[in-house]
Amino acid sequence: DTEVTQTPKHLVMGMTNKKSLKCEQHMGHRAMYWYKQKAKKPPELMFVYSYEKLSINESVPSRFSPECPNSSLLNLHLHALQPEDSALYLCASSQGGSSTDTQYFGPGTRLTVL
Amino acid sequence: DQQVKQNSPSLSVQEGRISILNCDYTNSMFDYFLWYKKYPAEGPTFLISISSIKDKNEDGRFTVFLNKSAKHLSLHIVPSQPGDSAVYFCAARMRDNFNKFYFGSGTKLNVKP
């Protein structure tokens, strides 16, 4: 099973809303990632959790708040977003700590901020 | 400054012919390279990878070549099929940071029947 699942598939929210994106994997991977992807651009790394600890924060604004409740789950809490935050949000996972680590991506959540 | 570059935003190839997608990188600390395929409205799917200790890796119709001296890698698809039409991203990672992957901007491949 090489599946990473993400919910919801689509999300529309206002600038004052609070919402959360969820990601789950059951491959026993110990590293999990959040990426943001705009149209015709490469995925842009936001956060990395390694063994349930935040290891990389790519200077992401505080209106995005990640959480890793356990090794299988990754959340991204959203609050007071801006219209320019509209994008495809991708979750990925990898074994973590391997020289031949490969990331497996979920299908993404298409976020629209009105 | 983008450390992984795909200079061709698009490529069109006839079905049955070879598709060659190119990727250049600037950082000599990269030691592991990957290719991903992405269909619209889906997440990237891992395709093939290569370690810097090799110069070629093959998996079915897909072959990745690595030229370390030129800091260049390429993905060959032979024969190309219409189902290969997608955006292809190359990615690279440094030996001292397994968790950070650097992506190119992608090449959109169109395989014509």
Side-chain angles (χ1 to χ4, degrees):
Chain A
D1 180 13
T2 57
E3 191 179 22
V4 176
T5 59
Q6 289 187 245
T7 55
K9 196 168 182 176
H10 300 277
L11 179 62
V12 179
M13 60 187 290
M15 290 191 285
T16 58
N17 292 156
K18 282 187 183 181
K19 297 285 184 183
S20 296
L21 308 185
K22 297 186 184 302
C23 174
E24 191 166 2
Q25 56 87 16
H26 294 287
M27 295 178 276
H29 288 172
R30 304 312 299 264
M32 296 186 77
Y33 310 74
W34 280 116
Y35 285 88
K36 173 182 175 180
Q37 186 175 25
K38 292 274 206 178
K40 300 185 181 179
K41 297 286 187 183
E44 180 184 329
L45 184 64
M46 299 175 72
F47 302 104
V48 181
Y49 273 83
S50 179
Y51 291 82
E52 299 162 51
K53 292 191 188 319
L54 184 64
S55 63
I56 297 177
N57 176 342
E58 291 286 284
S59 303
V60 179
S62 59
R63 57 185 184 269
F64 295 91
S65 174
E67 179 196 18
C68 188
N70 60 55
S71 59
S72 300
L73 292 173
L74 185 66
N75 298 322
L76 186 63
H77 303 296
L78 314 173
H79 174 54
L81 294 194
Q82 305 295 311
E84 60 264 28
D85 296 321
S86 299
L88 181 68
Y89 287 83
L90 293 163
C91 173
S93 70
S94 68
Q95 284 183 329
S98 164
S99 62
T100 56
D101 233 12
T102 298
Q103 289 185 330
Y104 293 88
F105 283 85
T109 293
R110 174 69 61 187
L111 174 67
T112 302
V113 182
L114 301 176
Chain B
D1 182 32
Q2 207 163 352
Q3 300 187 54
V4 178
K5 297 177 185 177
Q6 293 175 256
N7 293 317
S8 298
S10 63
L11 175 67
S12 188
V13 170
Q14 203 66 40
E15 180 179 7
R17 305 294 290 269
I18 184 172
S19 296
I20 301 176
L21 296 103
N22 294 304
C23 180
D24 297 294
Y25 61 96
T26 57
N27 195 326
S28 58
M29 296 294 288
F30 289 143
D31 74 332
Y32 189 61
F33 304 88
L34 309 92
W35 283 95
Y36 286 87
K37 178 167 79 171
K38 185 179 185 304
Y39 293 116
E42 293 184 12
T45 304
F46 169 71
L47 203 53
I48 193 169
S49 62
I50 188 166
S51 167
S52 60
I53 61 173
K54 294 185 174 181
D55 54 19
K56 177 182 173 182
N57 189 25
E58 195 170 351
D59 184 2
R61 296 186 297 114
F62 302 92
T63 303
V64 56
F65 295 92
L66 176 62
N67 182 333
K68 288 186 289 293
S69 60
K71 295 192 178 70
H72 176 83
L73 65 155
S74 61
L75 174 69
H76 292 211
I77 306 174
V78 183
S80 301
Q81 298 172 354
D84 296 327
S85 297
V87 177
Y88 289 78
F89 291 99
C90 69
R93 194 205 59 205
M94 294 186 213
R95 62 179 69 93
D96 61 351
N97 190 345
F98 292 152
N99 289 338
K100 187 159 182 177
F101 292 75
Y102 296 78
F103 283 84
S105 52
T107 296
K108 185 173 183 179
L109 174 66
N110 178 32
V111 180
K112 296 178 286 188

